[in-house]
């Protein structure tokens, strides 16, 4: 099969298109991959900066969508099913993937393979962040940073599904349009006076929840726009800098800084996956979830897909297309 293999840890340039043996199914679901999601962890892996450091060479990619070729007995999916899946063991940037049954889910009928390729990690992360970690309630105000990206658009839609008011924060007008398309009630520019605008739009109270996949200076500013008992959800550090906080500020203002690591938590409570999947399926049936697909690249252009993330030009979910589906 064709696959993109990381042969050097020097960023996107380290990817090489190769022919390698297909994986063996064993007790896993064997999937003929049609599309694969490109994520920020893939970019970090390409430079050896992620917490997981697989030995070279390896095939990156943890999100796929395709058709089941084979499944173990008793599995909820069967050969021929359209599925989306998440792999802890990498291997997604390839024409065939073998993935644990508990991380394979049927694709809603109206979604394309490209749309489904970015769902499992982003939407499960968004649901885990807002519900399990953020305790979001109907009527609360949720601010979402990076709201035009894959995780950001997912958080916008999951927050809306919870009955929250969603204020998106993005860096330019092009991304503002994507955030609106995702369903944000209001959109602010991070280059403007967004902090004051959040306070104005909440009658001076501030946001109940802030979702931060950016880090850097955004984190510090987000602390200042939280309402009393507000929660700042730390989802990632796409801005490149890991911020620090003076904990006395948390005490004085009665606010929380909450870590969000969906993948790591599944090691502790794997049953959570099915619970979240059912709740997301219900939102999809109501038409609330509508994955925003950004650029779609052929497999051989995987390096360009990673560069789009690296330069922060990406909107929606960046996807690799393996074959016609």
């Amino acid at each position: 099969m064709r696959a993109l293999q990381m042969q050097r840890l020097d960023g996107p340039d380290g990817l090489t298109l190769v022919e390698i043996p297909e994986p063996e199914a064993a007790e896993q679901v064997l999937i003929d991959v049609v599309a694969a999601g490109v994520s920020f962890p893939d970019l970090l892996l390409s430079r050896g900066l992620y917490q997981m450091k697989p030995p070279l060479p390896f095939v990156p990619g943890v999100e796929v969508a395709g058709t089941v070729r084979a499944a173990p007995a008793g599995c909820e999916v069967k050969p021929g099913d359209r599925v989306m899946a998440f792999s802890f063991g990498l291997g997604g940037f390839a024409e065939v993937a073998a993935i644990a049954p508990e991380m394979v889910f049927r694709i809603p009928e109206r979604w394309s393979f490209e749309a489904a390729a970015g769902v499992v990690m982003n939407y499960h992360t968004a649901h885990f962040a807002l519900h399990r970690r953020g305790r979001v309630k109907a009527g609360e105000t949720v601010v979402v940073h990076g709201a035009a990206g894959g995780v950001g658009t997912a958080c916008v839609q999951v927050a809306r599904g919870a009955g929250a008011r969603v204020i998106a924060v993005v860096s330019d007008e092009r991304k503002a349009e994507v955030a609106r398309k995702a369903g944000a009630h209001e959109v602010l520019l991070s280059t403007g006076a967004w902090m004051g605008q959040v306070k104005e739009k909440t009658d001076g109270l501030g946001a109940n929840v802030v979702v931060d996949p950016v880090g850097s200076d955004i984190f510090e500013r987000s602390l200042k726009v939280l309402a009393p008992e507000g929660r700042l959800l730390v989802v990632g550090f796409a801005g490149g800098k890991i911020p620090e906080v003076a904990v006395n500020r948390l005490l004085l203002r009665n606010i929380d800084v909450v870590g969000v690591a969906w993948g790591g938590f599944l090691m502790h409570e794997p049953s959570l996956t099915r619970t979240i999947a059912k709740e997301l399926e219900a939102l999809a049936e109501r038409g609330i979830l509508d994955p925003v697909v950004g650029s779609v690249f052929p497999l051989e252009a995987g390096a360009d897909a990673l560069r789009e993330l690296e330069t922060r030009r990406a909107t929606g979910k960046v996807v690799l297309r393996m074959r016609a589906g």
Side-chain angles (χ1 to χ4, degrees):
M1 67 175 182
R2 296 188 308 154
L4 280 175
Q5 196 176 67
M6 187 61 61
Q7 297 187 340
R8 305 182 314 277
L9 295 180
D10 55 2
D13 291 338
L15 278 177
T16 301
L17 186 65
V18 296
E19 289 277 347
I20 60 174
E22 292 184 356
E24 296 182 2
E27 293 302 310
Q28 298 182 305
V29 178
L30 200 62
I31 301 171
D32 288 319
V33 179
V34 175
V38 181
S39 63
F40 194 69
D42 296 319
L43 180 61
L44 294 176
L45 279 163
S46 76
R47 296 194 180 278
L49 299 176
Y50 198 55
Q51 55 260 40
M52 180 172 59
K53 300 185 185 300
L56 291 169
F58 64 87
V59 175
V62 294
E63 300 175 281
V64 302
T67 304
V68 175
R69 182 193 297 184
C75 188
E76 292 187 8
V77 299
K78 63 184 185 301
D81 283 349
R82 298 169 71 246
V83 295
M84 50 192 177
F86 176 82
S87 170
F88 287 105
L90 307 177
F93 290 0
E95 292 179 317
V96 183
I99 297 180
E102 61 269 20
M103 299 306 298
V104 180
F105 312 92
R106 289 188 183 87
I107 299 173
E109 188 172 334
R110 63 188 182 85
W111 290 358
S112 67
F113 285 111
E114 287 90 349
V119 166
V120 179
M121 184 168 71
N122 287 344
Y123 281 84
H124 280 242
T125 294
H127 191 285
F128 177 70
L130 287 161
H131 286 278
R132 180 69 178 241
R133 304 296 292 139
R135 310 181 305 280
V136 67
K137 296 185 287 290
E140 290 191 319
T141 296
V142 176
V143 170
V144 180
H145 290 290
V151 173
T153 53
C155 286
V156 167
Q157 293 177 4
V158 172
R160 280 199 66 135
R165 174 193 183 191
V166 184
I167 300 176
V169 181
V170 296
S171 60
D172 58 46
E173 287 294 345
R174 180 179 67 96
K175 293 181 178 180
E177 186 56 37
V178 174
R180 292 187 189 98
K181 180 182 176 183
H185 294 99
E186 298 173 84
V187 182
L188 308 177
L189 295 181
S190 60
T191 53
W194 68 269
M195 295 171 61
Q197 291 172 315
V198 169
K199 287 296 185 73
E200 289 173 10
K201 293 177 182 299
T202 56
D203 296 325
L205 185 66
N208 304 105
V209 179
V210 176
V211 181
D212 179 18
V214 180
S216 296
D217 296 337
I218 288 292
F219 174 88
E220 179 74 18
R221 295 169 186 171
S222 295
L223 285 175
K224 297 177 181 179
V225 301
L226 284 176
E229 296 188 284
R231 291 85 73 195
L232 174 52
L233 309 182
V234 180
V235 179
F237 311 105
K241 178 184 175 185
I242 298 177
E244 297 180 356
V245 60
V247 294
N248 64 308
R249 296 179 58 184
L250 311 184
L251 181 152
L252 293 171
R253 300 189 55 232
N254 290 295
I255 55 177
D256 298 347
V257 173
V258 185
V260 177
W262 165 72
F265 190 80
L266 292 184
M267 303 295 184
H268 167 70
E269 192 175 316
S271 62
L272 181 65
T273 304
R274 290 294 164 188
T275 301
I276 291 178
K278 288 180 181 178
E279 295 186 15
L280 292 177
E281 184 178 357
L283 292 178
E285 289 175 354
R286 290 167 54 195
I288 292 173
L289 303 190
D290 187 14
V292 179
V293 180
S295 300
V296 179
F297 295 85
L299 178 60
E300 55 269 23
D304 292 331
L306 284 180
R307 290 188 191 100
E308 186 156 298
L309 287 181
E310 190 168 45
T311 57
R312 300 189 69 177
R313 291 181 288 113
T315 57
K317 184 65 181 183
V318 179
V319 175
L320 293 181
R321 181 82 182 198
M322 310 295 171
R323 54 164 65 88

